[in-house]
Amino acid sequence: MLTKFESKSNRVKGLAFHSHRPWILTSLHNGVIQLWDYRMGTLLERFDEHDGPVRGVDFHKVQPLLVSGGDDYRIKVWDYKLRRCLFTLLGHLDYIRTVNFHNEYPWVVSASDDQTIRIWNWQSRSCVSVLTGHNHYVMCASFHPRDDLIVSASLDQTVRVWDITGLRKKTVRGAPTAIGAHMSPSSMHEVGVGSNTSASSVVSRVNADLFGGNDAVVKYVLEGHDRGVNWASFHPTLPLVISGADDRQVKLWRMNETKAWEVDTMRGHSNNVSCVVFHPKHELIVSNSEDRSIRVWDISKRLGVQTFRRENDRFWILAAHPQQNLLAAGHDSGMIVFKLERERPAFESHADKLFYVKDRFLRIHEFSTGRDLPTLSLRRAGNTQAGLCGGHRSLEYNVFNPSEHNLLLFSDQDGGTFELLAFSDDIAPSSQGESSDLKRGLAVSVVFLSRNRFAILDKNRQIIIKDLNNEKRKSIPPPNPSTGCMFFGGTSGRLLLRSDERIVLFEPQSRRVLAELQVTRIKYVIWNQDFSKVALISKHGITIASRNLEQLCTVTETVRVKSGAWDHRIFIYTTLNHVKYCLANGDTGIIRTLDVPVYITKANSKQIFCLDRELKHCIISIDSTEAKFKLALEDRNYAEVMNMIKNSKLCGKSIIVYLQEKGYPEVALHFVDDLKTRFKLALACGNIEVAMNTAYEMSDDECWHRLGLEALRQGNHQVVEMSYQRTKNFERLSFLYLLTGNVEKLRKMLRIAEMRRDIMGRFHNALFLGSASERVRVLEEAGQLALAYLSAISHGMLEEAARIKALLESTDQPIPSVLCDAQLMQPPTPILRSDNWPLLTLPTNTFRNSHAGEADSSEIADVTSSPGWDADLDLNEQDNENGNNEADLDEGGGWGDDLDIDDNIYDDNTTEGKYHEPPDKEASAPHIIPVAGVSPEFRWCQNSAHAADHAAAGNFGSSMSFLNRQISVVNFHPLRSRFLLVYSASSSSAPGLPLSLAHQVTLQRGSAVIDAGCLPRIATSMPRLIETLKASYRLFQKGNFQASRDKFYYILLCIPLIVAESRSHANEVKELLNIAREYVTAVRLKHENASESGIRQMELSAYFTHCNLQPSHVALALNLAMTQAYKGGNFITAAAFARRMLDLPDLIAQSRSELHHKAQTVLQKSEQKARNEFKLNYDERNPFEIDCRNLDPIYRGNQIERCSFCRSAYAGNMKGRLCSTCNIALIGIETLGLVTQAQNKG
């Protein structure tokens, strides 16, 4: 069973598939009707008007109608487009079991516990016939798909087939009309059977209700069941009826024109058979029962071929899709939509040919000519149940040896079998026949490895290499024991191995893992034509990777991915309802929609070749211009881009969004007609001309304001002036004239401000003009006489000052005092007065040239270097430089040898007697060569006994000697990067004069002065380690244990080379060492716990709780140990962990309340059971420490040896060995201990 959809709800009593939409109706025992989209897994609508359980429901084949019947004796007809009930049919006197639409006529048939079957006309909303004859509850009734027949099943132990030919002739007058022709809003009311007013109509209707009419007569009565019959249904094409009853039997009946008889009985169910239907595509019968099982029976052999069971849910109803290979089953807690077998064909294409399997034949289809002929018969002994799980799952063609035509066919029979075929190249009809060169075998997976070798993965998960004679050549264990599938590796001698959530590129010859990629469960692998890229297809995603499994992009879909094929650099794939494309840079898009799922066999630029689920060939036309456009943009093929813009019909909105996201607004400008969008894009690409023309058309002040800002950024003050004038932004306009030195226009702005009576505007313009008299006049008119007097007297305007002073005295206002140090204020002199500000001249844009038709090929080639389009961001520049520096340091040879950094720069012997002054009057004076001083690095080594200071000086030998004596470090390889970091961070370089070396500057600790007591600055500091510790805590809390362990181990390696400034600081370093040690041990315990099971797993989780962790982390550890102990049956131990968890201090975290509640529940249930199923090597009452070698407890009283550095505990026999926690120091060696403070020598 392949489950396609599953819902959780109340008990499902009725099911119905829509004929062409991916919808299914479910009627529930609580009275709700649900409409589901089983392809997307979403609930579309709920219909809730019935009072009580709804037992029957059905879709109309053509109209947007559905019908339902329930325990409220009502039949309701609904319009699912209007989402409401149209009308209600009344007439039944008891529960209604099933309702069913006729495929052609406007009829609904209903079966009821009132022992009658009623046929209703949903157009006239009346009952047209009542079928009586059953003497117990009628459990179901349904129309024949083609004939004028009805089949019904009843608890009176009979199945009846009714002939309704007379009813059709009497009531049907041509084809049914649309529902709207007979309905009006005023008529949406309940309709009873007694709607005729004439007395004769009422009498005839009553007689028909009591005794039945002669329009529908019983044709056959099928008797044979010993108990009540629950279900009966017709075969869609053959004269067969199937029935299921409370006698736990499924009976098959055949009928002809005159009689009907029992063909066979199928036994196997252990409880009442609830429902039974024919499979829509195969000669199979599907039944379900209250014994919680679904059984599949072969019609021809009358044998059960498959059984599917649920643990706790009884099955009540089955439904078969009328056109697709889908079934649905309703049970106590919901329903499932499923298929009995895979519908994906086994195929593979190579060059111009498609190899696939159909009707037990290997067929070859030529794409160029369309020829399709069977080549090889695949009929073999041992095949049973044709059409059910007997098909091939995959087909593998040997691309390494196309001359001999070798194929591998794989199927799931017998746990996995393969067939190795060899055939000729001739596809003429005369070549059909049995394969004389056929080899078989058992395998979980199979794939060709080279020209004459193929590999199989056997049931023991071993890779077996075989030759083309099916003889074993080699056996190789896979790198991961959980390997479950193999795929073609892209080249000879390579395999792709799938295990868990990863895929591995493996080379069997050398047994090497070449690459590894974390990816969800892969189902199919598709290589491109030159095997440089591969598409890894999973259930809902696609990962594009390179030949060496370097991930290029990942695409996630909400529906299932069905197939795919490469069209050069474009990967085209299909989902359930779309054809899509994916590029290596991660760009995706929809090419077209699909009516039914198809499987792509080959793709080219304009069409894709496909196989449908019926194994029919189809060619679908596609338009991949959008994908090619994005590729041309990525390649910067500007001529091709412009050609597509002119000649292709690209989707405007999607392309615009894409170009904006990718940073190509100027290209997007060619697709835009909307003025607002065009204006935004023009501003984004700096095209002032287009933006200004668009702003003219829009006449929006906000657009002119934004245009002014962009023009000001580019220095185009003429457009800025226009924008400010359009928006009447006088303040900005005046300031612009000030910057550009346009005095005339400033005077105009002054007059405009005066006309507008804008006092502040006048004053600002007067200030910009440097006109003191105008400022005095503005202040006087504004009533600011004191300020006017100060301005006049400060600028030497004595007459004006005297006049204003008189005004102040006349109004008894104080005369302000004049500052003696006043300075003259004048506006700045502009550099440029008329032209726009100078800009860097760039080549004309390529797209503008192409659009104007003026650019030739040479211009296009030159323009590609334009910074406006082609300027790349060297984002990896710094990384490359860092990488080169690290490479230089690695090649420096400074790891194992001491650097001669204390050698003198000058050598007296090289200069003595070889340099002579020119003869002059001071030639007799002796020439004294300066003596080299002591280097800072030498002083560092002299002044300190700390290993970090010696490492900073480059004296790695003495630094390692200190660490060996102090904490017994013997493995220095993990410390190598720390040494190099400390050394490189102790100095910096300053550029010197031209043609001279750079000047090296040492970085001092505490003071920049190099004196006798100087010490270097150390790169590793406590604040950095505290931040790393916090990050490690967060990773541990999230469960990312490997990443947290890496960070804690990083802290461990940093501690030997950290310098503490005080005693309290040194104590913090030692505390940090203890924290890192405890968490490294805890993560080791957690990893071992995840890989173990049973008793050892419970022991490891118990030890995990004794690590000295943060309270929130202890709570998580106790939760893990409590859960595993409880599930393992050690309830006493689980109760102990629960008590410890309840004794923890309260935490603020949200999960605390959940853990607290869980611990209380476990404690209560564990105290009730009060036993331990297994004896553990764990005693919580006896103190112990964890042996970091074997991860076992070392109880009090046993000998303990500790690591000289990290103080991890070990058993006595581990003395002298390397510590497993820090991996640098020896165990049990007496040393001075970790030195964290710098100690002066001597």
Side-chain angles (χ1 to χ4, degrees):
M1 176 189 292
L2 300 176
T3 303
K4 295 299 180 181
F5 170 67
E6 185 168 0
S7 70
K8 298 295 183 183
S9 64
N10 207 301
R11 180 185 300 169
V12 175
K13 300 296 290 184
L15 289 170
F17 280 104
H18 197 279
S19 59
H20 57 275
R21 296 182 184 232
W23 293 352
I24 187 170
L25 273 176
T26 63
S27 58
L28 309 183
H29 199 265
N30 61 1
V32 177
I33 302 171
Q34 294 178 336
L35 176 60
W36 292 90
D37 186 325
Y38 55 81
R39 181 180 293 176
M40 302 298 294
T42 55
L43 178 63
L44 301 179
E45 192 59 59
R46 296 174 78 255
F47 305 97
D48 187 7
E49 289 190 16
H50 279 284
D51 185 13
V54 182
R55 301 179 184 272
V57 69
D58 192 24
F59 272 116
H60 194 277
K61 185 176 181 180
V62 179
Q63 299 292 340
L65 300 177
L66 59 95
V67 63
S68 60
D71 286 4
D72 55 0
Y73 313 163
R74 300 171 185 266
I75 297 174
K76 291 181 177 290
V77 178
W78 313 72
D79 189 318
Y80 57 71
K81 287 186 176 180
L82 301 177
R83 300 180 179 181
R84 60 188 177 90
C85 177
L86 299 179
F87 53 85
T88 302
L89 301 174
L90 298 177
H92 280 295
L93 306 177
D94 208 335
Y95 296 168
I96 299 172
R97 294 286 179 172
T98 62
V99 288
N100 177 238
F101 276 113
H102 197 280
N103 285 344
E104 298 180 12
Y105 310 142
W107 291 348
V108 174
V109 63
S110 59
S112 172
D113 285 358
D114 62 5
Q115 304 180 16
T116 66
I117 302 166
R118 291 179 179 266
I119 301 176
W120 311 80
N121 188 314
W122 54 263
Q123 288 184 340
S124 62
R125 304 176 213 165
S126 60
C127 179
V128 296
S129 181
V130 180
L131 282 62
T132 59
H134 287 293
N135 54 25
H136 210 304
Y137 299 162
V138 183
M139 302 301 291
C140 78
S142 61
F143 290 108
H144 193 279
R146 293 177 294 109
D147 299 333
D148 295 330
L149 298 175
I150 291 177
V151 64
S152 62
S154 171
L155 293 186
D156 61 5
Q157 304 179 15
T158 65
V159 175
R160 292 176 181 253
V161 178
W162 309 77
D163 189 344
I164 55 173
T165 304
L167 180 65
R168 175 180 60 83
K169 294 179 179 180
K170 177 180 178 182
T171 60
V172 176
R173 299 290 187 269
T177 60
I179 183 173
H182 296 276
M183 294 184 181
S184 62
S186 61
S187 62
M188 304 296 181
H189 60 275
E190 294 187 350
V191 180
V193 295
S195 59
N196 295 330
T197 57
S198 63
S200 60
S201 299
V202 173
V203 173
S204 61
R205 183 61 58 86
V206 172
N207 291 334
D209 287 350
L210 294 177
F211 307 107
N214 56 2
D215 299 330
V217 297
V218 178
K219 191 172 185 180
Y220 312 114
V221 177
L222 309 179
E223 298 179 332
H225 284 287
D226 298 331
R227 302 186 67 180
V229 185
N230 292 317
W231 201 267
S233 59
F234 286 114
H235 192 281
T237 57
L238 300 176
L240 297 176
V241 175
I242 194 71
S243 61
D246 288 346
D247 58 5
R248 308 173 184 178
Q249 296 177 1
V250 176
K251 289 184 178 290
L252 179 65
W253 313 81
R254 180 177 288 274
M255 57 186 181
N256 57 19
E257 293 298 327
T258 57
K259 63 178 180 178
W261 65 96
E262 179 182 339
V263 177
D264 205 346
T265 301
M266 286 154 278
R267 299 175 176 85
H269 284 291
S270 59
N271 207 333
N272 300 340
V273 179
S274 304
C275 188
V276 57
V277 296
F278 288 99
H279 193 280
K281 298 292 183 180
H282 303 297
E283 296 303 313
L284 301 171
I285 297 170
V286 185
S287 63
N288 63 7
S289 167
E290 296 181 37
D291 63 2
R292 302 179 177 86
S293 71
I294 298 175
R295 292 180 179 267
V296 183
W297 315 83
D298 191 308
I299 292 180
S300 59
K301 299 183 178 180
R302 282 85 166 184
L303 294 175
V305 293
Q306 279 186 347
T307 302
F308 311 107
R309 299 184 183 276
R310 290 184 71 91
E311 292 294 331
N312 304 310
D313 297 319
R314 296 168 295 174
F315 286 101
W316 298 102
I317 187 68
L318 279 171
H321 197 287
Q323 298 175 358
Q324 300 180 21
N325 186 16
L326 286 176
L327 298 166
H331 51 77
D332 285 334
S333 59
M335 66 97 180
I336 55 174
V337 178
F338 62 96
K339 294 193 296 188
L340 296 180
E341 63 174 353
R342 298 172 73 250
E343 293 182 286
R344 179 187 176 91
F347 68 90
E348 181 162 344
S349 60
H350 176 69
D352 188 48
K353 295 180 181 179
L354 171 68
F355 306 91
Y356 69 104
V357 178
K358 180 180 181 181
D359 298 332
R360 301 296 182 189
F361 280 92
L362 173 66
R363 304 179 70 95
I364 300 179
H365 176 81
E366 289 186 348
F367 293 113
S368 57
T369 63
R371 286 199 304 168
D372 187 285
L373 293 173
T375 299
L376 202 62
S377 174
L378 301 178
R379 301 183 184 276
R380 59 185 188 272
N383 273 342
T384 58
Q385 70 259 26
L388 181 62
C389 300
H392 296 90
R393 187 176 184 86
S394 65
L395 184 150
E396 185 85 14
Y397 180 76
N398 190 358
V399 297
F400 306 114
N401 190 10
S403 60
E404 296 186 8
H405 292 291
N406 304 122
L407 280 178
L408 282 170
L409 291 174
F410 177 77
S411 64
D412 290 331
Q413 282 189 338
D414 302 326
T417 59
F418 72 89
E419 298 176 2
L420 176 62
L421 308 175
F423 57 94
S424 64
D425 194 22
D426 184 17
I427 66 169
S430 59
S431 63
Q432 299 178 24
E434 299 285 342
S435 174
S436 59
D437 191 10
L438 177 64
K439 285 89 176 177
R440 298 188 180 95
L442 299 177
V444 177
S445 182
V446 59
V447 65
F448 280 107
L449 185 62
S450 62
R451 186 181 64 83
N452 54 0
R453 294 287 187 272
F454 67 95
I456 68 169
L457 184 67
D458 63 8
K459 295 182 180 180
N460 298 322
R461 295 302 189 269
Q462 294 291 311
I463 299 176
I464 309 298
I465 308 299
K466 293 189 173 186
D467 58 17
L468 296 185
N469 293 322
N470 203 20
E471 296 180 357
K472 179 178 177 181
R473 293 297 183 181
K474 188 187 297 184
S475 178
I476 303 171
N480 194 326
S482 62
T483 299
C485 190
M486 301 188 305
F487 301 100
F488 172 48
T491 186
S492 178
R494 289 185 178 184
L495 296 173
L496 288 175
L497 306 180
R498 185 192 71 195
S499 58
D500 300 331
E501 296 297 316
R502 70 183 64 184
I503 192 163
V504 174
L505 183 60
F506 181 64
E507 189 175 72
Q509 183 67 26
S510 60
R511 304 191 181 188
R512 291 186 305 150
V513 174
L514 303 179
E516 183 176 324
L517 185 61
Q518 294 289 336
V519 66
T520 54
R521 185 178 177 85
I522 295 301
K523 298 176 66 177
Y524 312 109
V525 170
I526 302 174
W527 292 87
N528 65 348
Q529 286 81 356
D530 59 356
F531 302 106
S532 61
K533 293 183 180 64
V534 61
L536 309 174
I537 301 179
S538 58
K539 185 176 182 181
H540 289 101
I542 297 173
T543 299
I544 306 294
S546 66
R547 184 198 306 269
N548 297 321
L549 282 193
E550 297 170 352
Q551 182 173 327
L552 301 178
C553 71
T554 300
V555 179
T556 302
E557 295 286 345
T558 57
V559 295
R560 290 180 175 88
V561 180
K562 307 305 291 184
S563 64
W566 286 92
D567 179 16
H568 300 292
R569 296 167 57 193
I570 305 172
F571 183 69
I572 300 176
Y573 64 97
T574 61
T575 62
L576 284 172
N577 46 12
H578 286 104
V579 179
K580 297 186 175 184
Y581 70 86
C582 174
L583 306 181
N585 60 6
D587 294 335
T588 61
I590 298 176
I591 297 178
R592 61 170 296 163
T593 58
L594 292 173
D595 296 329
V596 294
V598 295
Y599 303 91
I600 299 179
T601 57
K602 185 180 179 181
N604 59 31
S605 58
K606 295 184 179 180
Q607 58 188 8
I608 55 174
F609 300 86
C610 306
L611 282 174
D612 62 12
R613 287 176 169 172
E614 304 294 332
L615 290 177
K616 297 177 181 177
H617 295 277
C618 57
I619 300 176
I620 301 177
S621 298
I622 61 172
D623 184 3
S624 58
T625 306
E626 182 178 315
K628 294 178 180 178
F629 178 82
K630 294 179 180 180
L631 278 178
L633 276 177
E634 182 183 1
D635 298 339
R636 303 191 182 277
N637 188 349
Y638 303 138
E640 183 66 21
V641 169
M642 288 309 304
N643 183 50
M644 292 184 183
I645 291 175
K646 293 178 181 179
N647 302 323
S648 300
K649 297 180 180 179
L650 293 171
C651 181
K653 291 185 179 180
S654 62
I655 291 296
I656 290 169
V657 172
Y658 172 81
L659 292 172
Q660 285 181 302
E661 292 177 351
K662 295 297 182 179
Y664 302 134
E666 187 163 351
V667 187
L669 206 57
H670 294 81
F671 297 91
V672 180
D673 293 326
D674 181 69
L675 293 178
K676 289 185 178 180
T677 307
R678 186 175 180 83
F679 180 77
K680 293 178 181 178
L681 292 173
L683 290 184
C685 64
N687 195 328
I688 296 297
E689 182 181 353
V690 174
M692 186 170 60
N693 294 334
T694 309
Y696 270 120
E697 297 182 32
M698 296 175 63
S699 299
D700 183 19
D701 288 347
E702 177 63 23
C703 293
W704 282 106
H705 174 69
R706 294 178 59 186
L707 176 61
L709 294 178
E710 177 61 23
L712 185 62
R713 188 185 68 83
Q714 296 187 16
N716 192 335
H717 62 79
Q718 296 174 354
V719 177
V720 176
E721 179 183 359
M722 184 186 304
S723 301
Y724 290 165
Q725 289 175 354
R726 300 278 299 195
T727 58
K728 298 182 180 180
N729 196 334
F730 299 108
E731 292 81 5
R732 292 174 182 263
L733 195 58
S734 296
F735 194 73
L736 175 68
Y737 292 149
L738 170 66
L739 295 181
T740 57
N742 198 330
V743 179
E744 293 298 327
K745 291 189 176 180
L746 266 179
R747 291 194 179 99
K748 290 183 179 180
M749 293 301 300
L750 179 61
R751 291 195 294 269
I752 291 173
E754 187 175 357
M755 294 171 57
R756 295 175 56 241
R757 298 180 181 180
D758 183 3
I759 296 296
M760 288 303 300
R762 289 176 60 191
F763 186 81
H764 285 159
N765 283 286
L767 191 64
F768 294 158
L769 285 169
S771 176
S773 59
E774 183 66 25
R775 292 202 297 271
V776 171
R777 190 163 66 90
V778 170
L779 290 173
E780 184 180 358
E781 292 179 3
Q784 299 292 334
L785 296 178
L787 292 177
Y789 171 75
L790 285 176
S791 297
I793 197 68
S794 299
H795 289 86
M797 302 168 61
L798 300 179
E799 295 181 1
E800 289 291 328
R803 185 179 59 80
I804 297 174
K805 183 178 180 180
L807 291 175
L808 288 173
E809 291 174 348
S810 64
T811 57
D812 295 331
Q813 296 185 31
I815 305 301
S817 58
V818 180
L819 298 177
C820 60
D821 57 347
Q823 297 180 358
L824 180 64
M825 293 180 60
Q826 287 293 332
T829 302
I831 300 175
L832 295 176
R833 292 181 177 272
S834 58
D835 296 333
N836 290 334
W837 297 340
L839 296 178
L840 184 64
T841 303
L842 300 178
T844 306
N845 186 276
T846 303
F847 291 97
R848 201 170 298 170
N849 286 344
S850 301
H851 187 65
E854 298 174 358
D856 55 15
S857 59
S858 61
E859 289 175 341
I860 293 175
D862 294 336
V863 165
T864 56
S865 61
S866 170
W869 173 260
D870 197 35
D872 292 333
L873 295 178
D874 296 330
L875 298 178
N876 298 324
E877 182 178 355
Q878 185 176 358
D879 297 338
N880 295 336
E881 291 175 2
N882 294 338
N884 295 336
N885 292 337
E886 292 175 3
D888 294 340
L889 288 174
D890 291 342
E891 295 170 3
W895 179 250
D897 301 326
D898 293 339
L899 295 179
D900 298 330
I901 58 175
D902 295 330
D903 295 346
N904 292 333
I905 300 175
Y906 302 103
D907 190 350
D908 295 344
N909 298 328
T910 60
T911 60
E912 189 175 279
K914 295 184 179 180
Y915 179 79
H916 301 280
E917 291 286 340
D920 57 10
K921 58 184 179 180
E922 295 182 0
S924 59
H927 181 73
I928 301 174
I929 299 176
V931 179
V934 179
S935 67
E937 291 84 356
F938 183 79
R939 291 186 184 275
W940 297 344
C941 294
Q942 281 188 327
N943 296 338
S944 175
H946 199 288
D949 294 332
H950 285 250
N955 198 346
F956 295 155
S958 61
S959 178
M960 289 188 282
S961 178
F962 277 122
L963 291 178
N964 180 262
R965 292 198 301 267
Q966 292 169 2
I967 54 176
S968 186
V969 176
V970 294
N971 181 21
F972 289 93
H973 184 73
L975 292 171
R976 175 175 180 170
S977 60
R978 310 308 312 159
F979 273 71
L980 294 175
L981 176 63
V982 171
Y983 171 69
S984 60
S986 64
S987 63
S988 63
S989 296
L993 297 174
L995 303 179
S996 65
L997 298 176
H999 179 62
Q1000 186 174 10
V1001 180
T1002 56
L1003 304 178
Q1004 308 298 320
R1005 186 162 71 239
S1007 173
V1009 180
I1010 302 177
D1011 55 12
C1014 68
L1015 290 173
R1017 181 176 296 178
I1018 304 302
T1020 306
S1021 61
M1022 275 297 292
R1024 290 284 302 276
L1025 294 185
I1026 295 300
E1027 292 298 324
T1028 304
L1029 179 65
K1030 293 179 181 178
S1032 306
Y1033 281 160
R1034 290 192 293 268
L1035 291 170
F1036 191 93
Q1037 183 78 21
K1038 294 178 181 179
N1040 193 347
F1041 297 109
Q1042 184 59 42
S1044 65
R1045 182 189 182 279
D1046 294 341
K1047 288 188 175 293
F1048 283 120
Y1049 187 65
Y1050 169 82
I1051 294 174
L1052 275 179
L1053 297 182
C1054 289
I1055 287 176
L1057 296 178
I1058 193 171
V1059 178
E1061 300 174 356
S1062 61
R1063 185 176 297 276
S1064 61
H1065 195 183
N1067 293 333
E1068 291 177 3
V1069 174
K1070 293 181 179 179
E1071 182 180 358
L1072 185 62
L1073 172 64
N1074 295 332
I1075 293 173
R1077 179 196 65 233
E1078 291 293 322
Y1079 274 88
V1080 169
T1081 304
V1083 173
R1084 290 183 59 205
L1085 285 168
K1086 183 63 182 68
H1087 282 172
E1088 288 292 325
N1089 175 270
S1091 61
E1092 297 288 346
S1093 61
I1095 297 176
R1096 181 58 177 168
Q1097 187 182 47
M1098 289 189 287
E1099 291 176 349
L1100 290 170
S1101 62
Y1103 307 154
F1104 188 28
T1105 64
H1106 287 266
C1107 295
N1108 189 11
L1109 310 178
Q1110 294 292 312
S1112 59
H1113 300 162
V1114 173
L1116 296 175
L1118 287 170
N1119 177 57
L1120 175 67
M1122 177 184 68
T1123 303
Q1124 293 183 354
Y1126 186 85
K1127 290 182 178 180
N1130 278 30
F1131 301 106
I1132 298 176
T1133 307
F1137 293 137
R1139 294 189 190 96
R1140 287 178 59 188
M1141 185 181 300
L1142 294 175
D1143 293 337
L1144 287 176
D1146 293 336
L1147 302 177
I1148 305 177
Q1150 182 65 28
S1151 61
R1152 178 59 180 161
S1153 59
E1154 300 176 0
L1155 295 178
H1156 192 274
H1157 177 72
K1158 183 178 180 181
Q1160 288 179 332
T1161 304
V1162 171
L1163 179 62
Q1164 179 182 0
K1165 293 186 177 181
S1166 299
E1167 287 178 345
Q1168 294 175 357
K1169 299 181 181 179
R1171 68 178 186 278
N1172 278 345
E1173 294 291 339
F1174 305 99
K1175 183 177 181 180
L1176 306 181
N1177 183 17
Y1178 171 68
D1179 185 3
E1180 65 170 342
R1181 293 178 296 275
N1182 190 1
F1184 66 90
E1185 293 196 38
I1186 299 172
D1187 185 350
C1188 293
R1189 177 71 176 181
N1190 302 319
L1191 299 181
D1192 289 326
I1194 306 176
Y1195 291 101
R1196 179 180 296 175
N1198 296 325
Q1199 181 183 356
I1200 295 179
E1201 298 289 348
R1202 295 189 180 276
C1203 172
S1204 303
F1205 166 51
C1206 65
R1207 311 304 296 167
S1208 297
Y1210 293 88
N1213 59 355
M1214 291 297 295
K1215 183 175 181 179
R1217 299 187 182 181
L1218 192 65
C1219 175
S1220 300
T1221 302
C1222 64
N1223 198 30
I1224 60 174
L1226 295 179
I1227 301 168
I1229 306 299
E1230 294 184 4
T1231 60
L1232 295 174
L1234 179 65
V1235 176
T1236 56
Q1237 287 183 272
Q1239 302 174 3
N1240 293 332
K1241 291 185 179 179

